[in-house]
Amino acid sequence: MSTTDANRMFQRQTQRADQAADWLRHLDLRAGERCADVGSGPGYFSLILAERVGPTGVVYAIDRSPEALAYLAEEMQVRGVANIQTVHGDAAAVDLPSGPADAAVVAMMLHHTSDPAGVLRNVARLLRPGGRAVVAEFHPEGTGEHGAPLSMRLPPEAVRAWCEAAGLEVRAEERTSPEHYLLSLRLRPPSGHTSPAGAHR
């Protein structure tokens, strides 16, 4: 990916800003939390997440493209953002620099990978018990006028099955536009573990 390609991708991400409101509503991020942006690309949404968790929180921008992460690093410098850590690696195998995340978002990237089920298994591994996640994708019943070609789109029932197999409980499924849908998820606690009442919303 060249710098020009990263810029084009960043512009495409800005065109989905209206979708970001739905993702944030389900993530329910709070100040000081740690959030993984899995498949961040050049990081438009990482910047939004960083604002939401505030200076005491951290966003892990995970991507396999060093050029995309370099683009994000430049945007961070221009905007004076210091609470994003870029993480270069395969989303199906990468580790976080420190501790589990409170939340994760996997937005419009599963259709780009050859192992979407593996990505979701790793997302579950990166979350703390009870951690929240949002998976957003292009709907195969959309018009195909915008976004991924219809032939590349993943049916929500397939994504749901992969999530559940990974230990991610599906809390809600929404068709957020004619072209998009999301799954709101929570990592199930280990067997026999009971969270204190009110510990997680």
Side-chain angles (χ1 to χ4, degrees), residues 11 62 67 92 106 161 164 187 192-193 196:
Q11 296 309 314
I62 301 169
E67 294 83 6
V106 189
E164 292 174 343
L187 180 63
H193 174 83

Side-chain angles (χ1 to χ4, degrees), residues 65-140:
S65 167
E67 294 83 6
L69 294 177
Y71 185 96
L72 172 56
E74 290 182 7
E75 285 292 318
M76 290 167 57
Q77 185 173 12
V78 168
R79 299 170 185 236
V81 175
N83 61 337
I84 299 175
Q85 295 185 29
T86 58
V87 181
H88 178 238
D90 179 356
V94 72
D95 288 311
L96 296 180
S98 59
D102 300 292
V105 60
V106 189
M108 311 303 165
M109 70 80 65
L110 287 180
H111 65 277
H112 285 298
T113 179
S114 60
D115 187 14
V119 170
L120 292 169
R121 285 194 299 270
N122 200 46
V123 168
R125 187 178 67 85
L126 298 177
L127 286 171
R128 64 164 174 77
R132 296 98 58 203
V134 164
V135 173
E137 272 296 332
F138 294 103
H139 203 289

